[in-house]
């Protein structure tokens, strides 16, 4: 085993103390000290540099059955992270290498080498492997191109368009030849960013009026693709503007994540009969076969400056929880990252 000396005896990590009801509260979580262990056979010890907080984590805080196991009470939570290997007991990964893994919400992590992916900090900033070149980027790529079957000339509407996934969806659609790209966001500042920085043809602040009316004005000829990050009134509005053979890819529904009662469904689903429309949900984990193609194509756009990305960086593990709350409130522009 190779290792560096003078590792700390303990590090900090976030535990789920109780299952939130409605909006999560600070008392549902605990920041605790944990022993820094040496890696066993086939493992590496990683000092996390950056950690990801994402909307899907809210679902894992509940006990309800879902596509991924819930966080365990009294134990450290999980999430994407990237960091430097400081001790290695595994072939192929050396001290000083940087790896991407899913044991975030902590300063140090003992990771099975099979669950770690080496990344190159010289090729791109480490934080991008959690966002534009990471899981969120692949989510945008797969959801738009495969699930929504995007084709050149389509008119595309994206909700949550200033977020990490939504901002990338809109730009990929533009780069792939969309006839019109429309986004919704939660502030006038974000709307300006979408049009002036990310190249959306139109955008609107959903807080400024009924979504259906604003979408009708922004997309007078209807939409062929809707990429749904929000659900609720956005989904209903999109169904109302869907063109013949339109497609809806359901990535997330952040508007209902903290509801304590079931949200009513769209009232206009019958319109799918008229439009021959399709709604399909998807999970990024089903599309990792696209990873090489995604990294090659999107990496090229990032390097050339054709695809822009934003990051909201929060400093310190002690602020990991507040960063997560910020994601649920929509405070972030682009990917929310915690610099540990």
């Amino acid at each position: 085993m190779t290792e560096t000396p003078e590792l700390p005896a303990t590090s900090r990590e976030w535990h789920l103390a109780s299952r939130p009801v409605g909006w999560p509260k600070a008392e549902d979580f605990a920041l605790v000290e944990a022993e820094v262990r040496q890696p066993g056979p086939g493992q590496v010890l990683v000092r996390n540099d950056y950690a990801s907080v994402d909307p899907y984590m809210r679902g894992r805080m509940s006990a309800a059955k879902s596509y991924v196991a819930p966080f365990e009470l009294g134990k450290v939570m999980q999430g994407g992270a990237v960091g430097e290997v400081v001790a290695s007991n595994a072939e192929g990964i050396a001290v000083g290498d940087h790896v991407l893994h899913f044991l975030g919400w902590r300063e140090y992590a003992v990771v099975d080498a099979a669950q770690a992916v080496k990344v190159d900090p010289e090729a791109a900033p480490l934080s991008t492997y959690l966002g534009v070149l990471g899981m969120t980027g692949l989510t945008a790529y797969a959801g738009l191109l495969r699930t929504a079957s995007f084709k050149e000339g389509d008119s595309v509407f994206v909700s949550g368009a200033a977020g990490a996934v939504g901002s990338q969806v809109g730009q990929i659609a533009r780069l792939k030849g969309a006839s019109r790209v429309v986004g919704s966001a939660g502030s006038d500042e974000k709307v300006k960013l979408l049009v002036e920085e990310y190249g959306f043809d139109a955008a609107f602040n959903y807080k400024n009026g009924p979504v259906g009316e604003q979408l009708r004005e922004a997309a007078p000829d209807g939409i062929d693709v809707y990429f749904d990050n929000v659900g609720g009134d956005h989904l209903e509005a999109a169904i109302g503007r869907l063109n013949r053979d339109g497609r809806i890819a359901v990535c997330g529904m952040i508007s209902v994540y903290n509801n304590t009662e079931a949200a009513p469904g769209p009232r206009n689903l019958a319109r799918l009969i008229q439009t021959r429309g399709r709604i399909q949900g998807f999970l990024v984990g089903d599309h990792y076969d696209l990873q090489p193609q995604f990294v090659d194509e999107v990496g090229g756009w990032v390097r050339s400056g054709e695809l822009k990305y934003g990051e909201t960086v929060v400093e310190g593990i002690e602020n990991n929880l507040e960063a997560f709350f910020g994601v649920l409130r929509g405070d972030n522009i682009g990917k929310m990252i915690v610099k540990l």
Side-chain angles (χ1 to χ4, degrees):
M1 180 176 72
T2 56
E3 61 180 270
T4 54
E6 300 180 7
L7 293 174
T10 62
S11 74
R12 293 172 292 175
E13 59 185 35
W14 281 98
H15 289 202
L16 184 64
S18 59
R19 300 205 181 277
V21 177
W23 277 87
K25 304 180 294 295
E27 51 265 37
D28 294 322
F29 308 86
L31 183 61
V32 305
E33 295 276 341
E35 178 188 2
V36 175
R37 297 186 295 107
Q38 291 293 337
Q43 295 182 323
V44 295
L45 176 65
V46 181
R47 183 183 64 238
N48 288 333
D49 292 313
Y50 294 94
S52 176
V53 288
D54 302 280
Y56 80 87
M57 294 173 175
R58 176 60 185 89
R60 296 197 67 185
M61 295 170 188
S62 301
K65 288 189 66 174
S66 184
Y67 60 87
V68 63
F71 293 135
E72 295 185 57
L73 288 176
K75 295 188 177 180
V76 61
M77 295 184 290
Q78 300 167 350
V82 64
E84 183 178 354
V85 175
V86 294
S88 176
N89 199 4
E91 292 186 14
I93 301 180
V95 168
D97 286 343
H98 291 81
V99 296
L100 171 69
H101 61 91
F102 287 93
L103 296 181
W105 289 82
R106 69 200 83 186
E107 291 176 305
Y108 285 79
V110 174
V111 182
D112 291 337
Q115 303 302 316
V117 177
K118 286 203 288 188
V119 296
D120 183 0
E122 299 298 322
L126 281 176
S127 59
T128 63
Y129 294 105
L130 296 174
V132 65
L133 296 179
M135 184 177 71
T136 52
L138 181 59
T139 299
Y141 190 86
L144 176 68
L145 301 182
R146 178 174 281 174
T147 306
S149 305
F150 171 86
K151 61 183 183 298
E152 186 177 355
D154 279 344
S155 174
V156 178
F157 171 44
V158 188
S159 58
V165 173
S167 61
Q168 205 156 336
V169 170
Q171 292 184 84
I172 293 171
R174 174 176 55 79
L175 289 163
K176 288 284 192 179
S179 61
R180 190 168 181 80
V181 179
V182 175
S184 70
S187 73
D188 293 340
E189 175 193 11
K190 291 180 179 180
V191 166
K192 184 178 179 181
L193 179 76
L194 291 175
V195 175
E196 296 184 359
E197 183 74 10
Y198 295 152
F200 282 60
D201 296 290
F204 60 86
N205 182 347
Y206 66 83
K207 298 176 182 176
N208 287 347
V211 174
E213 293 179 11
Q214 294 196 79
L215 179 58
R216 187 179 304 111
E217 183 175 341
D221 295 324
I223 58 173
D224 302 297
V225 168
Y226 171 47
F227 193 104
D228 190 16
N229 290 306
V230 174
D233 55 354
H234 282 71
L235 178 56
E236 184 169 298
I239 293 172
R241 298 302 298 157
L242 208 62
N243 290 331
R244 167 75 185 263
D245 297 318
R247 291 88 64 203
I248 296 174
V250 180
C251 176
M253 293 191 175
I254 197 170
S255 69
V256 303
Y257 286 170
N258 295 306
N259 287 4
T260 55
E261 297 181 2
R267 296 165 295 181
N268 58 348
L269 282 173
R271 193 167 187 278
L272 295 176
I273 303 169
Q274 173 189 345
T275 62
R276 290 74 152 179
R278 166 167 63 85
I279 300 179
Q280 182 176 345
F282 74 98
L283 296 174
V284 66
D286 296 333
H287 302 283
Y288 280 121
D289 62 298
L290 289 176
Q291 181 81 16
Q293 174 185 325
F294 157 72
V295 171
D296 180 63
E297 188 164 27
V298 175
W301 288 332
V302 170
R303 286 189 295 273
S304 69
E306 293 174 277
L307 191 149
K308 304 180 188 303
Y309 65 93
E311 292 179 339
T312 300
V313 180
V314 173
E315 298 268 352
I317 192 172
E318 65 276 9
N319 295 313
N320 216 111
L321 184 59
E322 183 55 34
F324 172 66
F325 290 165
V327 167
L328 296 182
R329 292 191 300 260
D331 294 351
N332 54 302
I333 293 177
K335 184 75 182 76
M336 181 71 89
I337 301 283
V338 181
K339 188 177 188 301
L340 302 178

